Amino acid sequence: MLATTSFHGGPYTHFTHPTATRHHKPYFRLTKPHSLHSTPSICTFLSPRRRLTANRFTIRALNRDDVTGCEKEAKPFFPNLHTVKIPVGDRFITVETGQIGRQASGSVVVRDGETIVYTTVCMSDVPSEPSDFFPMSVHYQERFSAAGRTSGGFFKREGRTKDHEVLICRLIDRPLRPTMLKGFYHETQILSWVLSYDGLHSPDSLAVTAAGIAVALSEVPNTNTVAGVRIGLIGDKFVVNPTTMEMEDSKLDLLLAGSETGILMIEGYCDFLPEEKLLEAIEVGQDAVRAICKEVDNLVKICGKPKMLDSIKLPPPELYKHVEEIAGDELVDVLQIKNKVPRRKALSLLEEKVLSILTEEGYVSKSESCVGAEITPDMLEDEDEEEEVVVDGEYDEGDVQIKPVFKKPAPAFYSEVDVKLVFKSVSSKYLRNRIVKGGKRSDGRTSEEIRVIDAECGLLPRAHGSALFTRGETQALAVVTLGDKQMAQRIDNLVGVEDVKRFYLQYSFPPSCVGEAGRIGAPSRREIGHGTLAERALEPILPSEDDFPYTIRVESTITESNGSSSMASVCGGCLALQDAGVPLKSSIAGIAMGMVLDTEEFGGDGTPLILSDITGSEDASGDMDFKVAGNDDGVTAFQMDIKVGGITLSTMKQALLQAKEGRKRILAEMLKCSPPPSKKLSKYAPLILVMKVKPEKVNLIIGSGGKKVKSIIEETGVESIDTQDNGTVKITARDLASLEKTKVIISNLTMVPVVGDVYRNCKITSVVPYGVFVEIVPGREGLCHVSELSSDWLSKPDDAFKVGDIVDVKLIEINEKGQLRLSRKALLPDQGTAGGSKDSGTPQKSTDKSKPRHSANTPKGDGDKTSEGTFTKRYVGSRKNEPKTSSNKSDAVATGDGGSALINGEAQVG
């Protein structure tokens, strides 16, 4: 982060608070609900996830029309208890401090409806080693007890941080970090817990606000109070902090954090909203944040703690002059090196040279005890002189005062860490000066120029889809895997409804991508955040589950990195999805924008300079990292982090419009991909057939304890058969033959029989004392009673029949349970008929293994295109890398016995 003296300057007078006012009695009013009502509903955040269970979550929330307050009684044991009610949108949030967590440097309980978030801020007593990164950690946890639940796993205690909790940790960290004063090295920890959740009011934006209030009340020195809100677009109206039910109909999911002076962080997802609408939403959010910060500042004046400004230790100002004198000319040349690795090595060598020179000149001491520019008495002693030296004019009465005489120059001592921090700051200054004054960046581009782009698809033959996207020195390898429902990602949440993600993107950033050796293990918070951003950017272009019933997994491995790797994942992921045959609605691209805010310092006109497609050094030395994904029509995802005190709407508008032009150029380069995306299913991808049966017949497919569906899978060799309560059946297979065989079995199982239908060449499957069971179609049996087996009297069925015999039967009855009653006797010639013969009761001994032949009045089954609508559109997909048959029959892939055919990747009925 590049520091500016105006941001990290001297003390701030408004941080000091008179201690006399900290024991005043609270005079704010706390809202308590007077009437609560219950609304059974299932609430989730704006997401294309599908609910698997029918569990309902009872929502109890404050009635917005009943916003009345009552004075909270003063408690003698909590003299510093303060509460304040802050209007946010069309309701109020309640902030309370001084009762819970009193030993923490700052603690606050924030309530919205019946959602309660408790946040604390603590710091170490002893400062850590100086560094260029503020030592702050954030931990956020959603307790299952907040919703009256326990974990569904074996261990009932909350354990490892979940991915969505990591994302909220990042939402808390990113807006707070720019407000922390440079030079404060006390380890700072922010802890946040969701203690109560009503399923209606989201805890994420509330946690951002709670953390900002806790930091403002604590002793941690910062510049501004931070607050966060969520903005939704319902119809044509922007709503501040919408409920989860309202978010289901929202076209926008924007979380904005900032202060009274500007915007610090935004993160949002939408469905191709134009830039003008986004700016309107940001303006609404900024107004709401200002109102919250104003109320919080009033609370801080009453009960806030004095800031630890005396703990700030900055490198001496004269050290900047020494570093510039030694390395200034060489820095100009080093920063013109275009490639990242040589430039990084040259900067490292130059830093070592600066340290070596300052050490030789006596400015740097490697001893940790000699830090700072303080002059000690030992520095003033002269070994050749025997007279006493009195420091600071102190002397005994009657003695002659002898003033200190410097026999040798006594240079100030600096630590190595100070030199490294100053060198980094000076390097950033020279880079910014080159961009603004020279008009050229490190790689020679102008401010709006995009790096050279290359794209290649299908480079991994066994993967379902693959693409290698390269932009300058940033490269992403994207791989797509298609599967069925079993490959979906299941999510356990507070609401208690099992959510399933049928599309997810996993981003990995190995240390080798930057030419380093480092840790390999569980994904870092950065990897989780970048992967989610790319995932949410690609979601709007995916087909619906009805059109494409596959579960989709995208892996993005960063093989080279020099800035904007998450946006490279968006571009590479889009190409890989097309190569896998996923019918996308459109193509999208992503770009990262940077900024130099104070251009006047470097000879500019003072207007912020926006940079397109920033590199890693421009990200580290710049004032903004703004990622935008979308196409010509609008934006699908955006994320912005500010490294200064905030930016204005006009600056953001300029960045959005410049990003739109950059996306157009990237999309044009993606069209030149060579080889291009296949846009067909790989021959290694599974086939999925979707059938629709009557809901009451689903149990026939499953069978008792799942025995029937397991037997079908074993018999046909398909991978899985997934059934849903609404009658949807999904069959997943690796080959077409097993898929067709399974379809025929299920069609026969779920057929609609009609009394009077005749079934010929049917096999007896079992013999019981009261009759025989006959399989009329594969998987469907009926009972032929002993009285219906023969025209003659039979005492026992096994006297004339055995398992495996072939008979002809007629359906004579269907009982209430759907069980079939068959008759063999009804098909035998009547006794006494001319030319007829008396039935001997002996069945046919045919060994014909062919499928049963139905008579002309065969019953209508679920495989027919009837008025019952038993079949719906199902997708199998055309295959790539497969040889074509003759041209006149290339469309007819296969035809099944169930009355449907697979043509051009779809099952056509009729």
Side-chain angles (χ1 to χ4, degrees), residues 323-615:
V323 172
E324 289 188 22
E325 290 176 351
I326 297 172
D329 294 336
E330 292 187 55
L331 264 177
V332 174
D333 298 331
V334 168
L335 292 176
Q336 294 180 13
I337 301 176
K338 293 184 177 182
N339 294 329
K340 174 184 175 179
V341 174
R343 183 172 62 249
R344 183 184 65 191
K345 292 181 178 180
L347 284 172
S348 179
L349 292 175
L350 184 57
E351 181 184 70
E352 292 297 327
K353 177 182 178 180
V354 171
L355 266 173
S356 176
I357 293 175
L358 289 176
T359 302
E360 292 175 359
E361 294 180 358
Y363 288 101
V364 175
S365 172
K366 295 185 179 180
S367 173
E368 296 297 331
S369 60
C370 298
V371 179
E374 183 180 358
I375 299 177
T376 61
D378 295 337
M379 298 168 58
L380 304 178
E381 291 182 359
D382 186 7
E383 296 179 358
D384 298 333
E385 293 290 338
E386 303 239 351
E387 54 188 344
E388 180 182 0
V389 176
V390 181
V391 182
D392 294 335
E394 296 179 3
Y395 55 94
D396 294 334
E397 187 176 352
D399 290 343
V400 178
Q401 179 182 359
I402 302 175
K403 297 181 179 181
V405 178
F406 294 96
K407 299 295 184 180
K408 298 178 181 179
F413 283 161
Y414 309 122
S415 67
E416 289 188 23
V417 176
D418 283 340
V419 175
K420 291 182 178 181
L421 291 175
V422 171
F423 180 81
K424 183 176 181 180
S425 179
V426 171
S427 300
S428 298
K429 177 183 175 181
Y430 273 66
L431 177 61
R432 292 157 67 96
N433 181 72
R434 170 178 167 80
I435 295 173
V436 176
K437 192 173 181 180
K440 294 290 184 180
R441 294 145 78 172
S442 294
D443 52 8
R445 290 180 294 146
T446 62
S447 61
E448 299 184 9
E449 194 172 349
I450 308 296
R451 287 175 287 180
V452 177
I453 294 176
D454 179 77
E456 178 183 353
C457 287
L459 65 161
L460 303 179
R462 299 288 295 195
H464 299 164
S466 59
L468 182 67
F469 180 83
T470 307
R471 178 165 51 195
E473 291 182 295
T474 299
Q475 188 179 76
L477 175 63
V479 181
V480 172
T481 306
L482 303 177
D484 58 2
K485 177 184 173 182
Q486 296 179 356
M487 202 181 79
Q489 185 176 17
R490 287 168 172 80
I491 300 171
D492 195 8
N493 54 31
L494 284 179
V495 181
V497 180
E498 186 179 0
D499 280 351
V500 169
K501 292 173 63 175
R502 59 178 291 263
F503 168 68
Y504 49 95
L505 187 147
Q506 295 171 335
Y507 168 100
S508 59
F509 191 90
S512 60
C513 70
V514 290
E516 298 176 355
R519 180 188 69 90
I520 290 292
S524 64
R525 291 188 173 188
R526 179 182 178 275
E527 289 175 315
I528 294 174
H530 281 42
T532 301
L533 176 63
E535 174 187 309
R536 297 291 296 271
L538 291 168
E539 277 177 351
I541 65 174
L542 295 177
S544 65
E545 188 174 4
D546 293 336
D547 296 332
F548 194 76
Y550 287 90
T551 295
I552 306 170
R553 178 195 183 197
V554 179
E555 298 172 89
S556 178
T557 302
I558 306 303
T559 53
E560 293 182 30
S561 178
N562 188 14
S564 189
S565 60
S566 62
M567 295 297 97
S569 299
V570 173
C571 301
C574 180
L575 292 172
L577 287 170
Q578 292 176 340
D579 188 59
V582 180
L584 302 181
K585 298 175 183 177
S586 65
S587 296
I588 65 169
I591 188 172
M593 312 297 292
M595 179 184 67
V596 178
L597 184 63
D598 188 11
T599 58
E600 191 173 359
E601 178 185 355
F602 307 103
D605 57 0
T607 305
L609 179 63
I610 306 298
L611 306 176
S612 296
D613 187 22
I614 58 174
T615 61

Side-chain angles (χ1 to χ4, degrees), residues 785-798:
H785 194 265
V786 65
S787 62
E788 296 292 338
L789 283 173
S790 175
S791 301
D792 295 335
W793 182 84
L794 287 176
S795 61
K796 293 187 299 183
D798 53 5

Side-chain angles (χ1 to χ4, degrees), residues 705-721:
K707 292 182 180 179
K708 190 62 183 178
V709 69
K710 291 178 182 177
S711 66
I712 296 174
I713 293 174
E714 292 177 0
E715 178 184 350
T716 61
V718 296
E719 290 191 346
S720 65
I721 300 175

Side-chain angles (χ1 to χ4, degrees), residues 530-749:
H530 281 42
T532 301
L533 176 63
E535 174 187 309
R536 297 291 296 271
L538 291 168
E539 277 177 351
I541 65 174
L542 295 177
S544 65
E545 188 174 4
D546 293 336
D547 296 332
F548 194 76
Y550 287 90
T551 295
I552 306 170
R553 178 195 183 197
V554 179
E555 298 172 89
S556 178
T557 302
I558 306 303
T559 53
E560 293 182 30
S561 178
N562 188 14
S564 189
S565 60
S566 62
M567 295 297 97
S569 299
V570 173
C571 301
C574 180
L575 292 172
L577 287 170
Q578 292 176 340
D579 188 59
V582 180
L584 302 181
K585 298 175 183 177
S586 65
S587 296
I588 65 169
I591 188 172
M593 312 297 292
M595 179 184 67
V596 178
L597 184 63
D598 188 11
T599 58
E600 191 173 359
E601 178 185 355
F602 307 103
D605 57 0
T607 305
L609 179 63
I610 306 298
L611 306 176
S612 296
D613 187 22
I614 58 174
T615 61
S617 60
E618 292 164 349
D619 183 7
S621 302
D623 300 321
M624 178 183 74
D625 182 12
F626 191 13
K627 303 180 181 72
V628 189
N631 60 9
D632 296 347
D633 299 327
V635 176
T636 60
F638 51 97
Q639 183 185 91
M640 183 190 72
D641 294 318
I642 296 299
K643 304 174 185 179
V644 290
I647 65 170
T648 60
L649 279 173
S650 59
T651 303
M652 185 168 293
K653 180 179 180 180
Q654 181 185 353
L656 278 172
L657 295 178
Q658 190 167 322
K660 184 177 182 179
E661 295 300 321
R663 292 199 310 271
K664 290 181 179 179
R665 299 174 194 170
I666 297 172
L667 285 170
E669 294 297 324
M670 289 170 61
L671 292 175
K672 303 176 184 177
C673 177
S674 179
S678 171
K679 297 186 179 181
K680 293 182 180 180
L681 279 180
S682 167
K683 64 180 180 180
Y684 302 111
L687 298 174
I688 294 182
L689 177 68
V690 181
M691 302 175 63
K692 188 73 174 179
V693 302
K694 289 187 175 181
E696 60 269 18
K697 296 185 178 294
V698 171
N699 290 334
L700 296 175
I701 303 174
I702 299 174
S704 177
K707 292 182 180 179
K708 190 62 183 178
V709 69
K710 291 178 182 177
S711 66
I712 296 174
I713 293 174
E714 292 177 0
E715 178 184 350
T716 61
V718 296
E719 290 191 346
S720 65
I721 300 175
D722 175 42
T723 60
Q724 299 177 14
D725 294 338
N726 62 357
T728 301
V729 181
K730 293 182 181 179
I731 308 169
T732 305
R734 287 289 175 181
D735 59 274
L736 196 60
S738 61
L739 191 74
E740 284 292 333
K741 186 177 181 180
T742 306
K743 184 189 71 173
V744 172
I745 294 176
I746 293 178
S747 298
N748 292 331
L749 275 175

Side-chain angles (χ1 to χ4, degrees), residues 763-789:
K763 183 187 295 185
I764 295 177
T765 58
S766 63
V767 180
V768 293
Y770 49 85
V772 297
F773 283 94
V774 181
E775 186 180 48
I776 58 175
V777 293
R780 192 71 181 272
E781 296 179 348
L783 173 65
C784 186
H785 194 265
V786 65
S787 62
E788 296 292 338
L789 283 173

